[in-house]
Amino acid sequence: FVLTAHRPNYLLNYSYNFTPNSRPFQEEDAQIDNTEIKFQISLKYKVIDNIFPENGDLYFAYTNQSYWQAFNDDLSSPFREINHEPEFWLQFRPNQNLGTIEFSGLAIGFTHESNGKGGSLSRGWNRIYLNLIFQRDNLALALKPWYRLPEDEKTNAADPHGDDNPNIEKYMGHGELTLACHINGNTFSTICRNNLRRRNKGSVELGWSFPLFRRLKGYVQYFNGYGESLIDYDAYSNRIGVGFLLTDWL
């Protein structure tokens, strides 16, 4: 019953986007820089232990992913986008072996994700998900399908109620696959999404962390595709960043 890391916590103090998306900020006549700082803070807390005999733990987590135009003096260095994601889930320990592969985790959860903005810049969605976790030695794999909870259509673009991004599934898909491998102090990770449609859209995020000093690690992250952030859910991103990682997948 203490705060622990949920997803990786990192700081990319130099992150370069080859395809910056200025479209949402046209009304403000804002020119987005290619270079910015990206960081993620992700923590979880076990709320209830063993709801069922010897199994079933209830967790709460919060993840903050931020994009800071720290080098954009013309715009007074604003935060371009901040995504907030609180979630609850019930986690079970199957402790089943599929040959040499351990089925180590099964989670059923609800997550809300939004960028906390209003008007034309507002983005958000709610999902229920299933997360299946498998491990073998220094390799971990998580398969996470989800279902987006439907929202009412907006009456007009300025309507504060209703769906801010009605076609987000066409870009973010209906799930993601995460793979992480730990080798000689290095961790290599991949997160893949795909909409599985004829007009194919998806994304891949590649990560490499390596030892630097004590618990501090260096971190390189590459993203290509759609949905890196909510404001860019329907815009193609091609980004690479370097920085530091505090907590890892493994």
Side-chain angles (χ1 to χ4, degrees), residues 122-138:
S122 177
R123 302 285 186 272
W125 61 335
N126 300 307
R127 291 168 289 164
I128 54 177
Y129 64 82
L130 185 68
N131 198 13
L132 308 171
I133 304 170
F134 304 89
Q135 289 182 281
R136 179 183 177 183
D137 299 328
N138 60 348

Side-chain angles (χ1 to χ4, degrees), residues 11-130:
L11 167 67
L12 299 177
N13 50 303
Y14 181 86
S15 180
Y16 189 88
N17 191 347
F18 296 91
T19 56
N21 178 28
S22 296
R23 190 177 61 212
F25 309 98
Q26 287 179 347
E27 296 179 4
E28 304 173 11
D29 195 26
Q31 186 62 42
I32 302 301
D33 275 0
N34 297 76
T35 306
E36 59 187 3
I37 292 175
K38 177 184 177 181
F39 62 85
Q40 179 168 283
I41 300 170
S42 185
L43 300 170
K44 69 176 184 285
Y45 181 80
K46 184 188 290 187
V47 180
I48 302 176
D49 188 43
N50 291 331
I51 295 177
F52 303 101
E54 303 298 324
N55 217 329
D57 303 329
L58 180 65
Y59 281 89
F60 169 77
Y62 171 74
T63 301
N64 176 305
Q65 191 175 97
S66 297
Y67 301 79
W68 180 18
Q69 290 271 296
F71 313 106
N72 195 339
D73 295 334
D74 293 338
L75 293 180
S76 298
S77 305
F79 277 83
R80 178 178 64 85
E81 176 77 342
I82 302 176
N83 290 166
H84 308 273
E85 186 175 1
E87 59 182 305
F88 282 96
W89 72 92
L90 189 60
Q91 183 157 318
F92 298 93
R93 299 176 295 277
N95 294 325
Q96 298 292 323
N97 291 328
L98 307 173
T100 59
I101 300 174
E102 179 186 1
F103 182 17
S104 58
L106 168 64
I108 304 170
F110 166 82
T111 179
H112 166 77
E113 187 177 14
S114 65
N115 64 355
K117 296 182 179 180
S120 62
L121 296 180
S122 177
R123 302 285 186 272
W125 61 335
N126 300 307
R127 291 168 289 164
I128 54 177
Y129 64 82
L130 185 68

